[in-house]
Amino acid sequence: MNFQSIVVAVLFAWTFLQCLCLLAKRSSKSVGKKFPPGPFPLPVIGNLHLVGGQPHKFLARLAQKYGPVMNLKLGMINTVVISSSAMAKQALQKQDLAFSTRSIPDSLTALNHHQVSVAWLPVASKWRTLRKIMNSNIFSATKLDNNQQLRVTKILELIIYCQNKSQMGEAVDLGRAAFRTTLNLLSNTVFSKDLTDPYSDSAKEFKELVWNIMEEAGKPNLVDYFPFLEKFDPQGSRRRMTGYFTKVLNLFKDLVDERLEERKVMGTKNVDVLDSLLNISQERPEEIDTTHILHVCLDLFVAGTDTSSTLLEWAMTELFKNPETMKKTQAELADVIGKGKLIQEDDVIRLPYLQCIVKETCRMHPPVSLIPRKVEQDVNLCGYTILKDSQILVNVWAIGRDSSIWERPLTFNPKRFWNLEMDIRGLDFELIPFGAGRRICPGLPMSMRIVPVMLGSLLNSFQWKLDGNLAPQDLDMEEKFGITLAKACPLRAIPIPF
């Protein structure tokens, strides 16, 4: 018997024993209890064969058969999928604390990131401290107001870059351009310097690094379904993630070390976020140290750059697919702002159709398609018993395309929000692209200031033509699955001045 056969045999035997133990445990606890419906699991793999490479889509199809709360056996992991706004509200609002722990992909345990990351720490004192520090020093309304001129400057640089491309008759990779703008905005907010040249096609390497992190964390990994394989890392996912994290953390460490040297010479100051964090680490080292600062930056730059730029790229893609909608948006901008002018943040309130565009994009292309949670004890959800240690997946993508909520859900129709009092800030569970409850994305306030202004400025400064004379109906709408849903094929378009 060769080595592979031995591994398969051991895997089968181990999983079979685990299934027997689970069935015995479930039977002993099942008196008077009702468990969520779901497909019958196969030996060893359970229901893994049903998920496929686009899990949000496959899980949405399964939910149409088994209902809005569905139980799956993914390898050895009991998984409950929530696919309706009503059930999501019960879990993420009514029983938020019980569902507040995150299930952690094994790849994100690289360099012990999960132990110091505000995105993955359990809801406890350390998480509360770091979350409070982030909200107070980065995402509070006061801090965002103070940094408004910085956002104006960075969006102006984006427009100048597009003007340069226009003069040369060259296409703009809109996703990469938005990524570069967001990256420099964040780097100036945190470090008071650009991390890439705002006027060139730079930042490609950093963008690919960020996407590699998002993809590695989101793609199927045997260890996540068969935890006893953790020591072996058979697909090399944790090893690759260690390399990605190391590159990003080394970049931030150099910047932090440089600032510490400056502070030795010039004394303590308070210019940017980094200074604020260093001040806290000196005054209250039990709350945050240099390691936490580096990993907070990792969370901030990976999630902050990718979600905003991906949302912008999807919005522009949908507008190209729907040229009449693009014309209506540009007409509103010309009427309210004046053709060719940059959008200010205070203008957005006077641009209801632009706001509808952003909401509709969030509905159809949520930055995060599956919200991962975990229950640490048996929980009752609307009459169903959710077993302890079950992984929870809230399918935000499916909720956004639920035909019982949305008329013609597969059609991009911003007008559906025209007279609809619905926001994306986690209170209306029909539309939760940034999550909800105490674990809602902390960067939502910043993203919602950046995306409408960046989108409106691009639409109000140029007419746009798809690269290569591509017809709108021929645009590639395929998704690339990771923690975020990026476009598989980058959107390239030529800016033409009005």
Side-chain angles (χ1 to χ4, degrees):
M1 182 180 288
N2 60 32
F3 177 74
Q4 287 182 331
S5 299
I6 293 173
V7 170
V8 171
V10 170
L11 181 63
F12 182 90
W14 178 275
T15 307
F16 183 70
L17 287 172
Q18 290 295 319
C19 287
L20 288 177
C21 290
L22 179 64
L23 286 172
K25 178 182 177 183
R26 191 163 177 165
S27 297
S28 66
K29 292 186 174 184
S30 63
V31 178
K33 294 183 179 179
K34 180 182 177 183
F35 298 101
F40 187 81
L42 297 178
V44 182
I45 64 171
N47 303 119
L48 277 176
H49 63 296
L50 300 175
V51 178
Q54 298 278 337
H56 56 300
K57 295 182 179 179
F58 285 93
L59 293 174
R61 289 181 197 139
L62 283 173
Q64 292 176 357
K65 179 177 181 180
Y66 293 102
V69 181
M70 172 177 62
N71 201 91
L72 298 173
K73 190 81 165 114
L74 301 182
M76 296 167 59
I77 304 301
N78 196 62
T79 302
V80 174
V81 183
I82 295 173
S83 304
S84 77
S85 58
M87 291 299 181
K89 184 173 184 177
Q90 284 292 328
L92 302 183
Q93 184 183 77
K94 305 291 187 183
Q95 297 175 257
D96 184 24
L97 185 59
F99 287 86
S100 63
T101 300
R102 283 257 167 91
S103 55
I104 304 171
D106 181 73
S107 59
L108 287 169
T109 64
L111 300 182
N112 295 320
H113 178 62
H114 64 301
Q115 296 179 0
V116 286
S117 162
V118 72
W120 301 100
L121 278 167
V123 173
S125 58
K126 176 54 71 176
W127 177 83
R128 292 187 184 93
T129 298
L130 290 175
R131 180 81 180 220
K132 181 179 178 181
I133 289 172
M134 288 182 69
N135 287 341
S136 300
N137 293 279
I138 306 174
F139 301 122
S140 70
T142 300
K143 292 292 183 182
L144 291 172
D145 287 343
N146 291 341
N147 288 328
Q148 183 172 343
Q149 188 54 46
L150 174 59
R151 292 190 292 277
V152 171
T153 300
K154 292 304 155 188
I155 290 175
L156 177 59
E157 289 174 353
L158 171 64
I159 298 304
I160 293 172
Y161 166 78
C162 292
Q163 287 173 344
N164 294 338
K165 285 288 190 180
S166 177
Q167 290 171 3
M168 295 183 286
E170 295 180 356
V172 175
D173 183 326
L174 284 161
R176 188 186 299 174
F179 181 93
R180 186 170 56 249
T181 300
T182 310
L183 173 62
N184 280 340
L185 171 58
L186 284 172
S187 66
N188 275 275
T189 301
V190 179
F191 302 115
S192 297
K193 62 170 60 179
D194 287 337
L195 285 186
T196 186
D197 183 348
Y199 301 115
S200 71
D201 284 320
S202 53
K204 179 181 179 182
E205 182 179 351
F206 195 89
K207 187 178 192 315
E208 289 177 350
L209 188 58
V210 167
W211 174 249
N212 286 338
I213 291 172
M214 303 300 265
E215 185 177 37
E216 201 69 60
K219 72 183 182 183
N221 181 6
L222 279 174
V223 180
D224 294 327
Y225 308 125
F226 303 98
F228 69 90
L229 294 174
E230 177 184 354
K231 292 182 180 180
F232 306 102
D233 189 23
Q235 292 171 253
S237 184
R238 196 180 334 114
R239 174 181 53 79
R240 287 189 295 274
M241 190 70 93
T242 299
Y244 302 146
F245 280 175
T246 299
K247 288 182 180 179
V248 178
L249 291 172
N250 283 344
L251 169 64
F252 295 147
K253 186 176 186 302
D254 289 343
L255 293 169
V256 171
D257 289 345
E258 179 183 306
R259 180 64 58 83
L260 288 171
E261 289 300 316
E262 289 177 4
R263 286 162 67 98
K264 285 180 182 178
V265 175
M266 303 176 63
T268 302
K269 52 185 179 177
N270 193 8
V271 173
D272 51 27
V273 170
L274 179 57
D275 275 322
S276 298
L277 298 181
L278 289 173
N279 290 342
I280 296 171
S281 71
Q282 289 178 354
E283 297 165 6
R284 303 187 296 278
E286 73 281 359
E287 291 189 4
I288 190 169
D289 58 23
T290 303
T291 300
H292 287 119
I293 291 173
L294 294 177
H295 286 266
V296 162
C297 289
L298 175 58
D299 283 340
L300 180 63
F301 278 80
V302 170
T305 53
D306 193 65
T307 52
S308 295
S309 58
T310 296
L311 199 54
L312 184 282
E313 187 174 21
W314 277 118
M316 288 295 290
T317 302
E318 288 289 0
L319 290 173
F320 275 114
K321 286 279 288 185
N322 299 272
E324 288 302 314
T325 304
M326 182 183 283
K327 288 179 182 177
K328 289 180 183 178
T329 313
Q330 289 177 321
E332 179 187 65
L333 289 163
D335 183 52
V336 176
I337 308 299
K339 189 176 292 186
K341 294 182 180 179
L342 286 182
I343 312 302
Q344 303 294 322
E345 290 179 10
D346 292 342
D347 295 328
V348 174
I349 193 69
R350 300 187 293 127
L351 297 164
Y353 198 68
L354 179 67
Q355 295 177 54
C356 292
I357 296 289
V358 174
K359 290 179 182 179
E360 181 71 341
T361 304
C362 287
R363 180 188 72 82
M364 293 195 71
H365 307 284
V368 178
S369 59
L370 297 171
I371 298 176
R373 299 290 177 92
K374 182 181 179 180
V375 294
E376 297 186 309
Q377 58 187 8
D378 286 4
V379 176
N380 186 286
L381 179 66
C382 296
Y384 291 117
T385 296
I386 311 298
L387 291 176
K388 175 183 176 182
D389 293 329
S390 292
Q391 174 183 230
I392 309 298
L393 296 175
V394 180
N395 196 338
V396 178
W397 186 89
I399 292 171
R401 295 170 184 242
D402 185 344
S403 59
S404 69
I405 301 172
W406 310 104
E407 184 180 352
R408 299 172 61 207
L410 302 184
T411 300
F412 186 80
N413 176 25
K415 202 67 184 284
R416 73 173 79 241
F417 288 102
W418 188 255
N419 292 312
L420 188 60
E421 292 294 328
M422 185 178 291
D423 206 350
I424 60 176
R425 301 181 187 274
L427 296 177
D428 298 300
F429 283 80
E430 298 83 359
L431 191 66
I432 49 170
F434 292 88
R438 68 193 68 205
R439 296 214 79 134
I440 192 169
C441 174
L444 186 153
M446 179 180 282
S447 184
M448 284 302 97
R449 293 196 184 210
I450 296 170
V451 173
V453 177
M454 187 158 46
L455 176 63
S457 296
L458 288 171
L459 292 172
N460 202 40
S461 299
F462 307 98
Q463 297 280 15
W464 292 88
K465 182 177 75 172
L466 287 169
D467 190 29
N469 293 315
L470 187 69
Q473 61 268 26
D474 294 330
L475 268 172
D476 189 331
M477 302 297 286
E478 282 300 306
E479 299 162 339
K480 186 165 61 169
F481 184 82
I483 285 188
T484 57
L485 282 182
K487 276 191 91 277
C489 182
L491 177 63
R492 295 178 55 82
I494 300 169
I496 304 168
F498 284 109

